[in-house]
Amino acid sequence: GAVVSQHPSWVICKSGTSVKIECRSLDFQATTMFWYRQFPKQSLMLMATSNEGSKATYEQGVEKDKFLINHASLTLSTLTVTSAHPEDSSFYICSARAYHSGTRDTEAFFGQGTRLTVV
Amino acid sequence: LAKTTQPISMDSYEGQEVNITCSHNNIATNDYITWYQQFPSQGPRFIIQGYKTKVTNEVASLFIPADRKSSTLSLPRVSLSDTAVYYCLVGDAGGYNKLIFGAGTRLAVHP
């Protein structure tokens, strides 16, 4: 199946600094990608929908100035956590949907996730 | 987006069949039912998807009654490596619709 790759897998940063997470679709084009965050023992929470060539759509309660999303190409979306604080420590996961060949159906593929720890 | 309800947790033993039921009373006509598996510190992985009746692949079966208000994921002969969280999602399978995750079911398989 299609592959979605995230980088880095884990990152530790100091409070107040910014961190960029990359999400790539390796063998298909993704005009739309999704960013989730997940706290320990909890489900995935959708943060935003990333659209190639246009502004991201953020879910209610997600600060767009805090979590900057750039989708500059059909295979790359980036999430930048600006001025990170310890409460931003979480598991961040991206996703993209790829069409099943010959159908209108799509399947969502997920990256392996990025563990962010802010100290 | 239709809301889903699943048991919070389940326990099983190696070699047993596990059935996880999901309720989705407000499922829409165009909605498909999709199940994902997630291991700790990994992204979710697609297991199976269906619209009605029964779907089977190499890892699981999905049973959907005629009213489609619920679905059951069946894992035959589970092993320790099947210990994971299982999510049931409902939504339009076409296009680039976002996926909203419910709480999921935490399955623990014991020796």
Side-chain angles (χ1 to χ4, degrees):
Chain A
V3 177
V4 174
S5 178
Q6 273 184 250
H7 178 80
S9 296
W10 59 271
V11 57
I12 301 173
C13 72
K14 291 185 177 181
S15 185
T17 62
S18 296
V19 174
K20 180 185 287 187
I21 302 170
E22 294 185 347
C23 179
R24 295 181 184 273
S25 56
L26 296 186
D27 49 2
F28 66 102
Q29 294 181 337
T31 57
T32 302
M33 291 185 177
F34 305 92
W35 286 96
Y36 296 82
R37 68 188 295 182
Q38 185 176 33
F39 292 109
K41 303 290 187 182
Q42 294 187 23
S43 182
L44 285 76
M45 184 194 79
L46 180 66
M47 299 175 66
T49 301
S50 171
N51 303 298
E52 187 268 334
S54 65
K55 292 182 178 180
T57 303
Y58 291 82
E59 295 298 305
Q60 190 174 10
V62 178
E63 301 175 58
K64 58 183 65 178
D65 294 330
K66 172 77 172 175
F67 300 99
L68 300 179
I69 292 173
N70 185 293
H71 196 149
S73 78
L74 289 173
T75 60
L76 174 64
S77 174
T78 61
L79 169 68
T80 301
V81 183
T82 63
S83 186
H85 290 285
E87 57 265 31
D88 298 322
S89 297
S90 188
F91 192 55
Y92 292 86
I93 306 169
C94 71
S95 173
R97 300 191 76 147
Y99 276 95
H100 289 160
S101 178
T103 75
R104 66 174 287 275
D105 295 340
T106 60
E107 180 178 329
F109 294 90
F110 291 83
Q112 71 270 37
T114 297
R115 173 78 56 194
L116 170 63
T117 302
V118 184
V119 297
Chain B
L1 293 171
K3 181 180 178 181
T4 60
T5 303
Q6 306 172 230
I8 295 296
S9 64
M10 293 182 68
D11 289 275
S12 184
Y13 293 91
E14 285 189 291
Q16 291 188 333
E17 178 185 76
V18 171
N19 296 308
I20 306 175
T21 298
C22 177
S23 297
H24 27 80
N25 292 318
N26 297 322
I27 189 168
T29 303
N30 292 333
D31 287 345
Y32 278 69
I33 301 154
T34 310
W35 286 79
Y36 287 87
Q37 175 191 55
Q38 186 183 28
F39 296 113
S41 297
Q42 293 186 29
R45 184 174 71 102
F46 173 90
I47 300 175
I48 197 166
Q49 179 175 283
Y51 184 80
K52 61 180 179 180
T53 61
K54 177 184 176 182
V55 179
T56 298
N57 61 22
E58 61 276 8
V59 298
S61 294
L62 178 59
F63 298 92
I64 306 168
D67 66 5
R68 304 201 326 121
K69 293 184 182 298
S70 67
S71 60
T72 299
L73 173 72
S74 181
L75 304 173
R77 299 182 60 79
V78 294
S79 64
L80 295 177
S81 62
D82 292 316
T83 294
V85 179
Y86 292 83
Y87 295 97
C88 162
L89 283 82
V90 172
D92 192 335
Y96 299 112
N97 299 292
K98 58 187 178 183
L99 292 177
I100 304 298
F101 284 76
T105 298
R106 191 171 297 273
L107 172 66
V109 180
H110 305 282

